[in-house]
mmCIF file of all heavy atoms in Angstrom:
data_model
loop_
_atom_site.group_PDB
_atom_site.id
_atom_site.type_symbol
_atom_site.label_atom_id
_atom_site.label_comp_id
_atom_site.label_asym_id
_atom_site.label_seq_id
_atom_site.Cartn_x
_atom_site.Cartn_y
_atom_site.Cartn_z
ATOM 1 N N GLU A 70 117.082 87.412 92.464
ATOM 2 C CA GLU A 70 117.406 88.823 92.899
ATOM 3 C C GLU A 70 118.523 88.804 93.961
ATOM 4 O O GLU A 70 118.630 87.894 94.730
ATOM 5 C CB GLU A 70 116.100 89.492 93.388
ATOM 6 C CG GLU A 70 115.484 88.875 94.554
ATOM 7 C CD GLU A 70 114.479 87.796 94.239
ATOM 8 O OE1 GLU A 70 114.565 87.194 93.199
ATOM 9 O OE2 GLU A 70 113.467 87.628 95.037
ATOM 10 N N ASP A 73 122.514 93.003 96.805
ATOM 11 C CA ASP A 73 123.669 93.879 96.503
ATOM 12 C C ASP A 73 123.595 94.435 95.105
ATOM 13 O O ASP A 73 124.581 95.011 94.645
ATOM 14 C CB ASP A 73 125.016 93.069 96.687
ATOM 15 C CG ASP A 73 125.298 92.813 98.199
ATOM 16 O OD1 ASP A 73 124.926 93.684 99.067
ATOM 17 O OD2 ASP A 73 125.833 91.774 98.472
ATOM 18 N N THR A 81 115.589 95.720 92.545
ATOM 19 C CA THR A 81 116.613 94.679 92.106
ATOM 20 C C THR A 81 116.717 94.694 90.612
ATOM 21 O O THR A 81 115.710 94.748 89.894
ATOM 22 C CB THR A 81 116.138 93.365 92.679
ATOM 23 O OG1 THR A 81 114.750 93.191 92.438
ATOM 24 C CG2 THR A 81 116.416 93.196 94.124
ATOM 25 N N LYS A 125 110.663 118.945 95.681
ATOM 26 C CA LYS A 125 110.193 119.438 96.982
ATOM 27 C C LYS A 125 108.861 120.188 96.855
ATOM 28 O O LYS A 125 108.703 120.962 95.906
ATOM 29 C CB LYS A 125 111.264 120.354 97.495
ATOM 30 C CG LYS A 125 110.992 120.948 98.869
ATOM 31 C CD LYS A 125 112.107 121.863 99.330
ATOM 32 C CE LYS A 125 112.005 122.382 100.686
ATOM 33 N NZ LYS A 125 113.061 123.292 101.061
ATOM 34 N N LYS A 132 111.373 114.970 99.881
ATOM 35 C CA LYS A 132 112.022 113.672 99.690
ATOM 36 C C LYS A 132 113.485 113.908 99.356
ATOM 37 O O LYS A 132 114.272 113.008 99.524
ATOM 38 C CB LYS A 132 111.358 112.910 98.545
ATOM 39 C CG LYS A 132 109.918 112.521 98.945
ATOM 40 C CD LYS A 132 109.351 111.532 98.012
ATOM 41 C CE LYS A 132 107.896 111.136 98.384
ATOM 42 N NZ LYS A 132 107.769 110.639 99.704
ATOM 43 N N ALA A 142 121.942 119.545 85.559
ATOM 44 C CA ALA A 142 122.935 120.621 85.401
ATOM 45 C C ALA A 142 124.001 120.233 84.433
ATOM 46 O O ALA A 142 124.886 121.000 84.053
ATOM 47 C CB ALA A 142 123.579 120.939 86.752
ATOM 48 N N VAL B 106 115.615 111.183 100.966
ATOM 49 C CA VAL B 106 115.097 110.602 102.215
ATOM 50 C C VAL B 106 113.686 110.109 102.149
ATOM 51 O O VAL B 106 112.934 109.952 103.103
ATOM 52 C CB VAL B 106 115.193 111.686 103.361
ATOM 53 C CG1 VAL B 106 116.628 111.977 103.644
ATOM 54 C CG2 VAL B 106 114.460 112.959 103.009
ATOM 55 N N GLU B 154 117.619 126.735 95.370
ATOM 56 C CA GLU B 154 117.842 127.141 96.740
ATOM 57 C C GLU B 154 119.072 126.574 97.333
ATOM 58 O O GLU B 154 119.576 127.077 98.332
ATOM 59 C CB GLU B 154 116.596 126.866 97.582
ATOM 60 C CG GLU B 154 116.209 125.447 97.731
ATOM 61 C CD GLU B 154 114.996 125.253 98.564
ATOM 62 O OE1 GLU B 154 113.960 125.934 98.268
ATOM 63 O OE2 GLU B 154 115.052 124.360 99.471
ATOM 64 N N LYS B 167 129.659 128.837 81.873
ATOM 65 C CA LYS B 167 128.638 128.098 82.623
ATOM 66 C C LYS B 167 128.775 128.426 84.092
ATOM 67 O O LYS B 167 129.897 128.296 84.664
ATOM 68 C CB LYS B 167 128.761 126.630 82.368
ATOM 69 C CG LYS B 167 127.655 125.757 82.925
ATOM 70 C CD LYS B 167 127.756 124.364 82.382
ATOM 71 C CE LYS B 167 126.764 123.423 83.095
ATOM 72 N NZ LYS B 167 126.711 122.074 82.487
ATOM 73 N N LYS B 249 120.592 92.171 105.055
ATOM 74 C CA LYS B 249 120.618 92.638 103.621
ATOM 75 C C LYS B 249 119.172 92.733 103.046
ATOM 76 O O LYS B 249 118.834 92.049 102.085
ATOM 77 C CB LYS B 249 121.440 91.647 102.746
ATOM 78 C CG LYS B 249 122.934 91.652 103.172
ATOM 79 C CD LYS B 249 123.774 91.331 102.133
ATOM 80 C CE LYS B 249 124.608 90.648 101.475
ATOM 81 N NZ LYS B 249 125.365 90.374 100.540
ATOM 82 N N ARG B 254 111.734 94.844 95.918
ATOM 83 C CA ARG B 254 111.990 93.512 95.212
ATOM 84 C C ARG B 254 111.258 93.546 93.857
ATOM 85 O O ARG B 254 110.009 93.574 93.929
ATOM 86 C CB ARG B 254 111.594 92.348 96.089
ATOM 87 C CG ARG B 254 111.941 90.975 95.555
ATOM 88 C CD ARG B 254 111.378 89.892 96.462
ATOM 89 N NE ARG B 254 111.981 90.020 97.775
ATOM 90 C CZ ARG B 254 113.120 89.509 98.183
ATOM 91 N NH1 ARG B 254 113.813 88.753 97.317
ATOM 92 N NH2 ARG B 254 113.609 89.655 99.365
ATOM 93 N N THR B 255 111.913 93.571 92.784
ATOM 94 C CA THR B 255 111.240 93.620 91.495
ATOM 95 C C THR B 255 111.797 92.478 90.662
ATOM 96 O O THR B 255 113.002 92.291 90.559
ATOM 97 C CB THR B 255 111.573 94.936 90.704
ATOM 98 O OG1 THR B 255 112.976 95.213 90.853
ATOM 99 C CG2 THR B 255 110.806 96.068 91.266
#
Side-chain angles (χ1 to χ4, degrees):
Chain A
E70 61 271 29
D73 288 327
T81 44
K125 183 179 184 182
K132 295 194 182 301
Chain B
V106 295
E154 62 182 50
K167 188 170 173 173
K249 296 207 243 173
R254 186 181 301 273
T255 44

